[in-house]
Structures are given as C-alpha cells and as structure tokens.
Amino acid sequence: MNPKTGSLILVATPIGNLSDVSLRAIETLRQADYIAAEDTRHSGKLLKTYEISTKMISLHKFNETEKRAQLLHLMQNGSTIALISDAGTPGICDPGEDLVRACIEQNIAVRSVPGANAALTALVVSGFATSPFSFYGFLPKKRAERLTLLKTIADISHTTLFYESPHRLLDTLSMIEETIPRRRICLCRELTKLHEEITRDTAANILASYEKKTVKGEIVLVIEGACLVEQTLTLPEAKALVEEYIQTGMTKNEAIKEVCRRYQIHRQSLYRTLTSD
Ligand code: SAM
C-alpha cells in the first residue's frame, strides 16, 4: 500500500435521534478531508449540530458510478474520505457497497466507525432469538416476488428481518398473514424517534390494529423463526396428528410434512423430535 494513499472511513450516523452519534464519529467527520454524503442537505443538519465544517461531496445511487471515480482519485492522492448516508450504517441498503469493493481492489484502506443501524436495533428489541438471523434488506416491490420470498421465509427456523416502506406495509402484512399466519412478528416503526412504536403480535392482529389508520414513518419487520411453539401446536398434538395422517395411508415423512405445512412448523425440528423417540 502506498504510504501516501488516503483511506475510506464508513461512519454510522443516527437513525432518528440526533444524539445517537459516537464521539469518534464526530471526530472522524471533523478530521476527514471530505465527507461523501447521500443527501448533503439532509446531512447538513447533523454537521451543523456538531459544528463539523468538512466539505461535503454528494454520493447517491443516481451519481454513484461517476462520483466513485472522483472519490477513488482523491483517495489515491492521499485524501481521507468519510462516507455517511442519510441514516444509520452506510452500505446497508444505502450507497457504499460498490465504493468499498473498489477501494479494496485498488489497495485503499477501508475502515468503519460503527454506530446506529435500524435492522440490528429492531432485532434486539424484538425479543426473538438473535442468532442466527437473516436480513433481507427491502422486500421486492413486485407482489409475486415478495410472495415467493415470504414463502421461503415461512420455512426458515431462525429470525428474519427486513425493511418495509409504509406504503406497502398493509399489503405485506396481509401476505404474511396468508403465508406465515400463526407466527409472531415484531413491527418496529420510527425507532429511536419521538413516536417510536414496537408491536409484537401476529400479522392478522397487527393488520386489524392498522385498519382505518394511515401508516407513516420508517419500518423494520422482524419475523420469529419457525419452530414448534405452544401457541401453534403442542408436541402431543403434533404426534397425534402425524399418527392420524399415517392411519389415512400416508408415510411417516408425508404425515410430518403435512402437519408442518398446515401448522407452520419447521419441518426439521418436528422431524427430529418425532424420530428421536
Ligand atoms: N443504512 C440504514 C441502516 O443502517 O439501518 C438503512 C437505510 S435504508 C435506505 C432506510 C430504511 O431503513 C427505512 O426505509 C426503514 O425501513 C429502515 N429505517 C431507517 N431508520 C429507521 C427507524 N428509525 N425506524 C425504523 N426503521 C428505520
């Protein structure tokens, strides 16, 4: 690595509450040669609050390709660039991923000043198992693709989470009601903000509570992993049902598969439980 080469520093900024910024983030933003920001006007408020006067360069998804070349050139010539997004951790559903890869390819050091992130904030308050978990970013806008993904999520035995727009929330909740009906979900709206709302319930109940209300704000949805839970079916009930299906001529595997499909139970966990006796 050329000693004169600069570096890229990914700096996390608040997801709502302006106080959620680290001392190191403020220092890094003050000391950087440039701040690459998704929306310079939006980030201007943060910089003003913390008296940061570093020059900003705009980097958003519409100019990412052309600005990347300019930023790489600056870093190759010794500049330190701090990258921030409108909220949270840059690179997570925000510009940054491609720039990080380009820096690595060009032997430019990449560092991170960690901080707020909406997905992890939602995961830890959900009360669902925190590891392992899967994060899907935004669900596809097209209904058919969203439905296919939700059907896949229905079989996943660990916690899954994704970002959702307020305009699609009710439609997505009704799709979850259809594909993952009994499972608990945690809807996190406006995290860290004045009107923060955290609701843990089934999709059907959350949908009912939103009837006649306009959904506003930023949202993360967390879905509990598929497992054999008391609210769904107790183990003796599951065993009895499997036996019932076997009596109708199904094989044990077919019976387990059918019980899992009907009751949204994770297949491997029921299979393991019933075959370990
Ligand atoms: N980079 C950000 C991060 O680290 O979380 C995410 C950026 S992504 C473009 C914006 C989405 O994140 C929003 O549409 C929403 O789904 C989620 N989000 C951001 N802030 C949030 C908040 N305060 N409460 C709930 N969700 C939030």
Side-chain angles (χ1 to χ4, degrees):
M1 204 171 284
N2 179 348
K4 283 198 186 135
T5 308
S7 61
L8 175 71
I9 312 180
L10 307 168
V11 181
T13 57
I15 56 167
N17 189 321
L18 272 195
S19 300
D20 292 337
V21 62
S22 73
L23 296 175
R24 191 169 153 235
I26 297 168
E27 251 343 277
T28 304
L29 293 174
R30 282 191 184 136
Q31 285 170 8
D33 295 303
Y34 299 94
I35 296 173
E38 202 182 352
D39 176 343
T40 51
R41 240 180 46 180
H42 174 92
S43 296
K45 285 181 218 145
L46 179 80
L47 302 200
K48 195 164 170 233
T49 307
Y50 292 104
E51 298 173 351
I52 298 162
S53 54
T54 310
K55 189 175 180 327
M56 280 195 277
I57 297 176
S58 101
L59 175 78
H60 46 73
K61 61 179 174 194
F62 304 109
N63 71 1
E64 217 179 338
T65 316
E66 86 195 55
K67 282 294 165 86
R68 198 183 315 140
Q70 181 195 352
L71 294 171
L72 287 168
H73 179 76
L74 285 167
M75 288 185 274
Q76 285 293 8
N77 287 287
S79 293
T80 299
I81 308 280
L83 174 66
I84 59 176
S85 65
D86 284 356
T89 302
I92 303 293
C93 297
D94 274 338
E97 261 186 285
D98 291 345
L99 184 61
V100 167
R101 268 194 289 274
C103 285
I104 294 166
E105 271 164 25
Q106 298 198 12
N107 240 354
I108 296 169
V110 179
R111 285 177 290 140
S112 164
V113 176
N117 167 253
L120 288 181
T121 308
L123 176 68
V124 294
V125 296
S126 70
F128 305 152
T130 54
S131 60
F133 71 90
S134 293
F135 171 60
Y136 284 86
F138 283 99
L139 285 189
K141 285 187 185 151
K142 290 191 180 147
R143 274 195 111 242
E145 289 173 22
R146 228 179 320 150
L147 193 61
T148 306
L149 184 57
L150 286 171
K151 282 182 183 162
T152 307
I153 290 176
D155 284 336
I156 295 178
S157 59
H158 55 256
T159 305
T160 56
L161 52 150
F162 47 86
Y163 294 154
E164 189 50 293
S165 110
H167 319 293
R168 277 193 299 271
L169 178 71
L170 298 184
D171 193 34
T172 298
L173 282 175
S174 65
M175 287 167 115
I176 296 176
E177 187 189 1
E178 193 185 312
T179 48
I180 318 172
R182 289 166 187 257
R183 201 92 51 78
R184 283 189 308 165
I185 63 177
C186 178
L187 186 149
C188 299
R189 204 175 63 81
E190 298 287 82
L191 286 165
T192 75
K193 300 186 195 177
L194 188 63
H195 299 291
E196 177 176 89
E197 191 179 282
I198 299 166
T199 314
R200 301 168 191 89
D201 211 328
T202 59
N205 289 344
I206 296 179
L207 255 180
S209 73
Y210 270 101
E211 236 176 9
K212 299 192 187 94
K213 276 199 269 177
T214 317
V215 188
K216 286 190 192 144
E218 303 199 90
I219 291 155
V220 185
L221 278 175
V222 190
I223 303 186
E224 190 175 29
C227 58
L228 193 62
V229 284
E230 288 296 315
Q231 302 106 289
T232 310
L233 199 65
T234 61
L235 187 57
E237 284 168 345
K239 278 182 177 173
L241 259 178
V242 168
E243 282 308 319
E244 239 176 71
Y245 283 134
I246 291 172
Q247 297 304 318
T248 67
M250 286 187 188
T251 64
K252 189 169 188 177
N253 272 351
E254 286 166 347
I256 292 175
K257 200 171 160 186
E258 184 54 21
V259 171
C260 293
R261 191 194 63 76
R262 276 190 58 189
Y263 291 91
Q264 301 291 321
I265 297 168
H266 184 237
R267 181 135 46 108
Q268 273 168 356
S269 70
L270 181 61
Y271 188 82
R272 265 198 305 271
T273 315
L274 293 187
T275 50
S276 62
D277 304 332

